[in-house]
Amino acid sequence: IKEKDVDSTLDALQARLRSLLNDKKFLLVLDDVWNENQAKWVELRNLLRSTDGFSRSKIIVTTRHSNVVLIMSPIRPYILEGLPLEDCLTLFTKWAFNDGAEKHYPNLIRIGEEIVKKCKGVPLAVRTLGSLLFQKTDESDWIYIRDSEIWRLEQHENDILPVLKLSYNYLPSHLQRCFAFLSLYKKDKIYSSDDVIRLWMANGLLEHPKQNQEWEDVGKRYLNELLSRCLIQKENEFRLKFTFKMHDLVHDLALDVSQKECKIVNSETKRVDENVRHLLLCDEKLVEVPRVLEEMKNVRTVIIQYASKRSKIVDKSLINLCVSNFKYLRALEFRKSPLTALPNSIGTLKRP
């Protein structure tokens, strides 16, 4: 289905999909599924069954949630095993050293083997920690990671957060704040470097630029540091900007470290910590302003999604609430809104 079909009705999209798959044997891969609504799966399954090639086709689903397995298939799931130790060591060495340099540091290799064993075959953990130690030849840096208290934190099976948290702890404080801010975006979001840098700038998260530098240059340097640490992954690059994404597990880390500062709010949110400073308002069926927003006073950032699906009245109420309640508001991202003007009271906002 092409991009031009995205705005079509659901019935039209289903008809289009059916016509594409009819009389064809296909392999459908549904990656990282989180849907626990059985009705949605049954609807998709019935649609696929209506194609002539369904009986000869295969569907592969990957998920990190056992309930999804129970809902989607009676077939016993295949539990992925971790990478063998030998492959993990190869991967770790690739990220921790320049080609061939590891032979000069046998002591580090021995410590690295102990670190890799604690990764339990999870490639993302191996790669992240290898990248973290790149060009570090002091044994104390390697020993710190090997013996860090974070390894002893209670983990659920295959839970990588405590491992990834080492990468966060090794970030300079200014990068920690900027990384945590990325949790305001939903999973699978494609980030734009320009948008992210502007929000960082508005909230005073960037260091003052050096001579002959602009604020945007500082923001790009921060993003490149996060790229080098494998915390974000570049998607497409343009002349002056680029897009990037964040691995789901890394996004989990961002949510974990930002929970006192950032919050995703919808119409069902009952409580938000008073220390929260940055909000993502995300609800496709919003018909009124969430009451929890009325109780907040110290918000600095509000990002509002799905604005095109709300009425003009709701949009106006949201704007008025943000301006009247959040006196120290620094950034308001309000796209695709039917509103054509902001209230005059926006001029009363104060700079903290």
Side-chain angles (χ1 to χ4, degrees), residues 21 58 83 107 136 143 157 160-161 192 197 212 220 225 270 275 278 290 317 335 343:
L21 298 181
K58 301 293 182 183
L83 277 182
N107 289 343
K136 288 185 170 61
I143 291 171
E157 188 176 358
I160 199 61
L161 273 180
S192 166
I197 291 171
N212 299 323
K220 289 177 182 176
E225 288 189 52
K270 302 300 182 185
N275 293 318
H278 312 292
S317 298
R335 297 182 178 182

Side-chain angles (χ1 to χ4, degrees), residues 122-178:
V122 180
L124 179 60
V126 174
R127 191 185 75 170
T128 302
L129 295 181
S131 177
L132 178 65
L133 290 168
F134 181 66
Q135 292 187 331
K136 288 185 170 61
T137 56
D138 191 328
E139 282 191 23
S140 63
D141 291 327
W142 290 60
I143 291 171
Y144 168 77
I145 290 182
R146 183 196 67 187
D147 298 337
S148 175
E149 288 289 332
I150 204 162
W151 295 112
R152 303 184 181 95
L153 292 177
E154 181 182 353
Q155 297 184 59
H156 299 292
E157 188 176 358
N158 298 325
D159 190 350
I160 199 61
L161 273 180
V163 177
L164 288 177
K165 213 162 189 175
L166 284 172
S167 295
Y168 173 78
N169 290 342
Y170 255 64
L171 290 174
S173 58
H174 60 277
L175 280 183
Q176 287 184 344
R177 293 191 296 269
C178 290

Side-chain angles (χ1 to χ4, degrees), residues 40-50 54 72:
K40 289 184 177 180
W41 163 240
V42 170
E43 185 177 5
L44 174 60
R45 184 186 62 194
N46 291 342
L47 171 63
L48 296 172
R49 279 180 172 171
S50 67
F54 181 79
M72 298 190 73

Side-chain angles (χ1 to χ4, degrees), residues 234-243:
K234 188 175 290 187
E235 286 281 286
N236 295 299
E237 189 162 9
F238 308 96
R239 191 167 64 89
L240 297 175
K241 62 181 181 179
F242 62 90
T243 59

Side-chain angles (χ1 to χ4, degrees), residues 61 135 138 196 208 214 242 246 268 272-273 289 321 348:
V61 178
Q135 292 187 331
D138 191 328
V196 168
H208 199 279
E214 302 292 337
F242 62 90
M246 182 181 286
E268 297 180 358
V272 178
D273 190 284
V289 177
L321 176 68
T348 65

Side-chain angles (χ1 to χ4, degrees), residues 267 283-290 309-311 313-314 317:
S267 56
D283 196 328
E284 293 188 47
K285 300 178 180 179
L286 195 67
V287 294
E288 62 180 4
V289 177
K309 300 189 178 183
R310 290 192 305 274
S311 70
I313 295 175
V314 173
S317 298

